[in-house]
Amino acid sequence: MSIAAIILTKNEELHIERCIASLKGVCDEVFVVDSFSTDRTVEIAKKLGATVLQNAWKNYATQFNWALANCPIKSDWLWRIDADEYLSGGLGEAVKMRIDGADEAVNGFYVRKKIVFMGRELLHGGWYPSYHLKVWRRGFGDCEDKWMDEHIRVFSGRTEVVEVGDQVDDNLNSLTWWTEKHNGYATREMVDMLSIEYNLRKEEEVEPKFFGTEEQRKRWLKIKYVKFPLFVRPFLNFVLRYIFKGGFLDGKQGLVWHFLQGFWYRFLVDAKIYEVKKKFNWNDVEIANYLKKTFLS
């Protein structure tokens, strides 16, 4: 069985070589779908043997599904990996073995994701181990159409978990870059959370279910999170992850991560939600129409 990796890029010359190198001997095809980078991303990817296509960016889900429709994929299986991620600890070999031994009812595999922040692995606070559906049989899945927190959906069949190795998220950019990127994420998260609040979710999205897959459980918890009061929920999230789930055990890097990602970012999302609601004088109909016209059309 063959595997094709799909990587979305925009100015990823700092990461792309590390990412593609980790796929050597694992993926038979590597496709890079680039959003017209202005650095050496495309040059490096081509030099390493990747097939490069370019397409204008709207959001992650739209770009990834464009890749599924337009990349000349011949492989039997697909692997979703970001440019700032890489395979570690024998994950690639373990997945290949599981694919070779899988019956026809198995259409997807969950792998462990590990985050490295400011040079330190984050092993506490509920961030590890975290399982994500990254590998699936071609033709049996796509990326759900969401502005934020999008997941791969497998249409049918069974999924299994690979407990060997990690898909490591280790971004090497500066903290200034990180905060600027999360400002953009906050806008997308604002759209997603208001879409949940005003029931603008699409039917084909992942079904919320506490006792389901990790994606289903996360979606269920997010819906519950949306119901908590504005500006209160970021405090609760920080206390839960940093104190009760042991995020403080990851040292100074853990403190920075949980304060910025678990509190500051979540507070910024709430501030953007408040801004939209205040703009339309808390009129639910006008807010819903604004979301549909501006983001969801």
Side-chain angles (χ1 to χ4, degrees), residues 44-64:
I44 296 170
K46 287 182 176 179
K47 183 179 179 181
L48 294 171
T51 299
V52 179
L53 293 79
Q54 290 187 302
N55 187 56
W57 181 270
K58 179 181 178 182
N59 59 42
Y60 192 101
T62 300
Q63 189 78 332
F64 198 88

Side-chain angles (χ1 to χ4, degrees), residues 16-66:
I16 192 63
E17 183 171 359
R18 181 186 66 183
C19 176
I20 294 177
S22 76
L23 302 173
K24 187 176 181 180
V26 177
C27 294
D28 305 271
E29 301 175 289
V30 175
F31 294 95
V32 170
V33 178
D34 183 72
S35 303
F36 299 99
S37 293
T38 56
D39 64 1
R40 297 178 57 245
T41 298
V42 170
E43 175 190 342
I44 296 170
K46 287 182 176 179
K47 183 179 179 181
L48 294 171
T51 299
V52 179
L53 293 79
Q54 290 187 302
N55 187 56
W57 181 270
K58 179 181 178 182
N59 59 42
Y60 192 101
T62 300
Q63 189 78 332
F64 198 88
N65 287 330
W66 185 93

Side-chain angles (χ1 to χ4, degrees), residues 40-199:
R40 297 178 57 245
T41 298
V42 170
E43 175 190 342
I44 296 170
K46 287 182 176 179
K47 183 179 179 181
L48 294 171
T51 299
V52 179
L53 293 79
Q54 290 187 302
N55 187 56
W57 181 270
K58 179 181 178 182
N59 59 42
Y60 192 101
T62 300
Q63 189 78 332
F64 198 88
N65 287 330
W66 185 93
L68 292 178
N70 291 275
C71 291
I73 302 168
K74 297 179 181 178
S75 297
D76 307 295
W77 291 76
L78 303 174
W79 197 315
R80 172 187 175 181
I81 183 168
D82 293 340
D84 59 358
E85 294 179 334
Y86 59 90
L87 309 186
S88 174
L91 173 61
E93 293 76 11
V95 167
K96 289 185 69 175
M97 288 181 62
R98 294 291 295 275
I99 286 176
D100 289 340
D103 59 49
E104 292 184 359
V106 177
N107 287 329
F109 289 98
Y110 284 81
V111 304
R112 290 188 306 205
K113 180 176 179 178
K114 179 187 289 183
I115 294 176
V116 175
F117 182 69
M118 300 181 79
R120 178 161 183 160
E121 296 178 344
L122 301 180
L123 302 179
H124 305 90
W127 287 99
Y128 185 83
S130 177
Y131 294 89
H132 297 252
L133 201 158
K134 296 290 189 179
V135 183
W136 68 101
R137 197 185 298 269
R138 181 163 64 95
F140 286 85
D142 68 359
C143 187
E144 59 175 342
D145 186 12
K146 291 172 61 64
W147 274 81
M148 190 66 185
D149 192 32
E150 64 287 311
H151 297 290
I152 296 298
R153 302 174 301 126
V154 170
F155 306 140
S156 63
R158 192 172 76 248
T159 59
E160 296 183 349
V161 177
V162 178
E163 294 282 5
V164 177
D166 300 295
Q167 187 158 322
V168 182
D169 179 338
D170 182 8
N171 194 287
L172 302 175
N173 284 299
S174 69
L175 198 57
T176 297
W177 178 94
W178 189 95
T179 53
E180 289 173 351
K181 190 175 184 71
H182 276 71
N183 181 39
Y185 282 168
T187 298
R188 292 160 53 185
E189 183 76 345
M190 172 269 291
V191 174
D192 192 44
M193 291 182 67
L194 285 175
S195 296
I196 293 173
E197 181 176 347
Y198 293 107
N199 198 28

